Amino acid sequence: MNASSPVIVLLAAGEASRFGSLKQLAMIDGEPMVRRAARQALACGVPVLAVLGAGAERVAGALADLPLQTVIHDGWRDGLGSSLAAGVRAVQHAQPQASGVLVMLADQPRLGKALLGHLLDEHARSPGKIIATAQSGGAGPPALFPRSDYEVLAQARGAQGAKCWLRQEHARVLEVDPAPYGADLADIDTPDDLHRASAAP
């Protein structure tokens, strides 16, 4: 993609208190979860920026040989929203011509390239829309926001990330059904979640 293509912002900063350890480094399919997510992002052929926080040095080590940018967010304890804001501000600084940010979570390790690629394609067709994934609780991540949303996202706070903005801007949101793309949106929040994801085909 060209220099004005979107940037994938991989959020991998949380402490994972329910998991009991640094879940970004939990092994799935023989590699750390955060690395698996990063490789899926990189397979899309656009720049990738990973936001790190808890255990940043160890998590960065799992990504060290991958061609992506990492940003350490010291305020990661303030919640997912603050990590999203840090990622968007980093994109504004390092990739000011990027047409948008595709936000994905490191604890969704079975998204697959197909869904991410489709979100990018929809953005190219409808550059002013928010392209989000249809879920039982409403539109959610992975979700692609155009550059016009940067200023709002750069001020995000709390644990909800961009959910409030997705609800507020629902008229601009194009929801994509993940099923045709074989995407598994399950979050890995507990060791049991990891066990189920590891047993999945």
Side-chain angles (χ1 to χ4, degrees):
M1 298 221 178
N2 60 40
S4 63
S5 68
V7 174
I8 295 179
V9 174
L10 175 63
L11 300 182
E15 185 178 25
S17 57
R18 284 195 288 164
F19 193 79
S21 62
L22 196 60
K23 73 176 177 181
Q24 293 94 322
L25 300 182
M27 299 299 287
I28 184 166
D29 298 341
E31 64 183 332
M33 189 184 328
V34 68
R35 183 180 177 87
R36 191 180 199 281
R39 287 197 307 101
Q40 291 177 88
L42 288 165
C44 296
V46 300
V48 177
L49 183 149
V51 181
L52 312 183
E57 289 187 9
R58 294 170 60 199
V59 177
L63 303 172
D65 63 330
L66 298 179
L68 50 72
Q69 179 184 354
T70 58
V71 172
I72 297 178
H73 175 45
D74 292 333
W76 58 267
R77 292 177 182 83
D78 294 333
L80 181 67
S82 72
S83 296
L84 169 60
V88 171
R89 291 193 298 268
V91 171
Q92 288 177 301
H93 176 72
Q95 309 261 4
Q97 299 307 312
S99 61
V101 290
L102 198 175
V103 180
M104 61 180 289
L105 309 179
D107 62 1
Q108 291 181 319
R110 290 196 178 279
L111 289 176
K113 176 189 173 184
L115 174 61
L116 297 173
H118 182 71
L119 297 176
L120 291 166
D121 289 343
E122 287 290 355
H123 171 70
R125 286 189 284 268
S126 303
K129 285 189 172 292
I130 298 170
I131 317 295
T133 305
Q135 301 176 27
S136 57
L144 202 161
F145 300 87
R147 190 192 308 168
S148 57
D149 292 330
Y150 282 4
E151 292 304 322
V152 169
L153 298 178
Q155 303 301 318
R157 294 291 182 271
Q160 293 298 305
K163 284 189 177 181
C164 290
W165 187 241
L166 285 169
R167 287 194 294 267
Q168 181 176 327
E169 295 295 302
H170 63 90
R172 293 174 51 225
V173 176
L174 174 61
E175 292 194 31
V176 172
D177 180 0
Y181 306 99
D184 182 347
L185 301 182
D187 293 345
I188 308 298
D189 290 325
T190 68
D192 285 344
D193 293 339
L194 179 64
H195 178 74
R196 284 191 290 271
S198 298

